[in-house]
Amino acid sequence: MTFRKGPTTTQAHVDVPVGLYEEEYARNGFFGRTSHLYRSQPPVGWTHIEGDLRPEALKVLELAGLGQGSYWQGRVAFLENQDIVIALTTLTEPMPSYVRNADGDEVHFVHKGAGQLETDFGPLTYEVGDYLVIPRGTVYRYSPSSSTSLLIVEAFSEVSIPDRGMLGRHALFDTDVIKTPSPSPREGGPFTLEIKRLNRITTVTYPFNPINTVGWKGDLTVWQLNIRDIRPVMSERYHLPPSAHSTWIMRDAVICSFLPRSLENGDPGAMKVPFFHSNIDFDEVLFYHDGEFFSRAGIEPGMVTFHAQGIHHGPHPKAIEAAKSKTFTNEKAVMIDTRNPLQLTEAGRSVAMADYWKSWM
């Protein structure tokens, strides 16, 4: 059932009454019970914030220790909870050891660089814009041909593809565009394998190369998906919620891909920028990969924004005005939403921009 009080719109995000600001107040990440509040002032019009819910922007490319020491040491975590760890690393040379994560699945996003990823299932040649999904327990090793920056989401549950529902199973991307490796056994030895379990490292030495698979069959393997093969869902007359751009799901977390797409040009009353909303059930993290991020000012490629549950979220004032004449957005970004609250690590706090929250003022 729906109740209606005072001035509202008939269709959410369309023809908002002049002088009012629409806020979506929703449960379960835009899928649950929802109300829309029509306010006389924007809910992000604050003048001071003190406390943990202050919006953060992180210059993660400046994290200390990136790529230094062992592979595990060079992965610098900046946000974490009981479900996932979000980290960044840089690789300039082939990894000296093979590695295996016994703690969780991993989703790697290639922000910069190119090279080869060796795995139990075979090698893959990676490039900028690739998602590389590595199941828990898979042996792998990177050999970059150019300096590589990886955004890493470590998930303590299985990573899978979301149900596309009424859009059909081929929407956003057909699974045929996902690349999987073919066996290519390596030779030589000895080799070391570093296994991470309970965040501790066990080193195993073999007289042979641990990548010695000559054949495999099944539906559990390494996936490679480039963002150019994702076809965003668009509407000419309605601004779709972020969940329409879901790429990977896991327990209590989702990864979405925001890509170049047309804006809502078919209806003069339709919103073109993300609507104001309360982060009730999910924390929101955005990694800005490339392009022009029209809903944010002062954001550059390689930066991360973090908006916690309980604080309002919405476009910057200049973005609202600029969107009136825009017909297309050229942004490329990775969004990570988590049901359970994320915590900034000390490394994350060290690269936080102190005055980011003031950018709405």
Side-chain angles (χ1 to χ4, degrees), residues 94-326:
M95 292 163 50
S97 297
Y98 290 91
V99 298
R100 173 192 290 152
N101 190 342
D103 286 333
D105 286 17
E106 297 183 359
V107 180
H108 296 188
F109 178 76
V110 183
H111 175 54
K112 292 183 180 178
Q116 187 178 79
L117 172 66
E118 299 175 59
T119 79
D120 274 328
F121 300 90
L124 288 168
T125 300
Y126 68 85
E127 60 180 308
V128 171
D130 274 342
Y131 282 111
L132 298 161
V133 181
I134 304 173
R136 180 197 304 254
T138 301
V139 174
Y140 69 90
R141 174 177 177 263
Y142 277 99
S143 294
S145 57
S146 62
S147 182
T148 296
S149 293
L150 298 174
L151 175 71
I152 298 175
V153 179
E154 181 181 8
F156 306 125
S157 62
E158 187 173 358
V159 174
S160 59
I161 298 170
D163 181 0
R164 269 68 69 90
M166 64 183 291
L167 295 175
R169 59 179 295 186
H170 305 295
L172 298 174
F173 60 89
D174 193 312
T175 53
D176 277 358
V177 304
I178 295 178
K179 297 178 182 177
T180 57
S182 296
S184 179
R186 304 310 206 216
E187 297 180 352
F191 288 94
T192 56
L193 170 63
E194 296 178 354
I195 306 170
K196 185 173 81 71
R197 180 179 180 273
L198 300 178
N199 221 28
R200 295 193 294 270
I201 305 302
T202 297
T203 301
V204 181
T205 301
Y206 292 100
F208 50 81
N209 195 308
I211 300 294
N212 51 38
T213 303
V214 297
W216 67 267
K217 67 183 182 73
D219 59 0
L220 179 62
T221 186
V222 177
W223 291 338
Q224 180 182 28
L225 173 67
N226 196 279
I227 56 174
R228 66 169 171 266
D229 291 322
I230 300 175
R231 301 173 184 271
V233 176
M234 298 175 286
S235 172
E236 280 285 298
R237 302 185 61 212
Y238 181 74
H239 187 82
L240 298 173
S243 49
H245 304 285
S246 299
T247 308
W248 313 109
I249 59 171
M250 58 219 73
R251 182 187 63 214
D252 290 332
V254 61
I255 297 176
C256 303
S257 306
F258 294 146
L259 299 168
R261 61 196 183 277
S262 297
L263 295 177
E264 296 73 13
N265 304 307
D267 191 322
M271 286 187 177
K272 291 185 179 181
V273 295
F275 40 82
F276 294 113
H277 57 278
S278 296
N279 292 15
I280 297 177
D281 289 325
F282 285 82
D283 280 2
E284 181 178 299
V285 178
L286 266 170
F287 176 80
Y288 297 88
H289 169 55
D290 191 22
E292 299 176 5
F293 312 111
F294 81 109
S295 66
R296 289 284 174 273
I299 296 296
E300 300 174 355
M303 292 180 64
V304 167
T305 57
F306 170 45
H307 295 257
Q309 298 168 21
I311 193 79
H312 284 95
H313 190 192
H316 285 143
K318 291 182 179 179
I320 298 175
E321 186 63 30
K324 293 178 181 179
S325 59
K326 282 186 174 290

Side-chain angles (χ1 to χ4, degrees), residues 29-52:
F30 308 104
F31 285 99
R33 289 187 299 147
T34 305
S35 285
H36 290 86
L37 310 180
Y38 297 86
R39 298 182 180 274
S40 60
Q41 298 293 333
V44 294
W46 44 64
T47 57
H48 186 70
I49 302 176
E50 188 71 36
D52 292 341

